[in-house]
Amino acid sequence: MAERAPLWAVFVLPALLLAVALVTAGIDAVLAAGARKGQSGSLREMAGRATEPGREVLRLLVQQPRRTRASDVPLARIGAALLPVAAVLAAVVLPLGFRSVSDLPEGIVWFNAMEALAWAAVWLAGWGPNSTLSLIGGYRFLAQGLAYELPHMLAITTAALGAESLRVGEVVDAQAGLWFAVWMPAAFGIYLLSAMAMAFWGPFDQPAGRDVAGGAAAELSGADRVLFLGGRWLLLVVAAAFSVPLFLGGGHGPLLPGWAWTVLKTAAVLAFLVWFRHRVPTLRMDRYLELTWVVLTPLAIVQALAVAVVILNR
């Protein structure tokens, strides 16, 4: 069971997530610029590209907000603000090493519930502006959610089944000898795919696709846009970090303290997700739906059954 972090961790957690999201966005900007130009460039150029996300945030914060005709402004603003809130709330059950802000008895259910909150956030942000493009983005995210959620839930349930607990701290404790990623490889792979879909990232970025001018974020501007896109980055960081206690042993590891292992493993997963985005093109929604219903869901069920048999025969 994870120890309770001190009270000040409640205030540090959002700042820490924001810092990690900014660093990840900077690395992604460097890779994107390198892919466009076909070369990585000098160290000075790379440093300039890495600061682009930070400069873009500052530009948006001083930008004059624009509104579409007959838009529902409160609805759009609630949607934009709800996305980072859902990401931060999901992170309260994440242990750094062996300490978390809150090790709820139903921590895994809590994390999944905050994902549902993110669904509502993207939908509201797409619906509120009364614009066709943003509405298409919202609908796309709902369709994507219906596709990824079932194998995603089966994957995280498999980890809970292996630990015989819904408490995240006890899932970490159960991996003291062997990481779940080793004997639950299908569940781990499915979780990573669904984590990208959850953050509409990588090959699953159609809800924010360029073909519809940014989809759900098409009509957002100024601070609203910062909140929405920042929330997306936070969601990616939290989804990547949650794979560590679920499948990669949490803070378990030799020599280094638990928090250092958590940071290293999270950084490795984030690096993989960023790399994957630049290597795999956007997947059409109908093909993704086919993949999840024909391949991923049956595979997740077989993996869960295999783990259940092992647990019952202990």
Side-chain angles (χ1 to χ4, degrees), residues 25 29-30 122 218 272 275 297 302 312:
V30 171
V122 178
F272 171 76
W275 171 84
T297 301
V302 170
L312 288 173

Side-chain angles (χ1 to χ4, degrees), residues 33-56:
R36 283 196 303 271
K37 297 182 178 180
Q39 56 182 4
S40 56
S42 64
L43 281 176
R44 186 174 179 179
E45 289 173 332
M46 290 171 67
R49 292 167 190 164
T51 59
E52 281 179 10
R55 285 185 274 131
E56 178 66 7

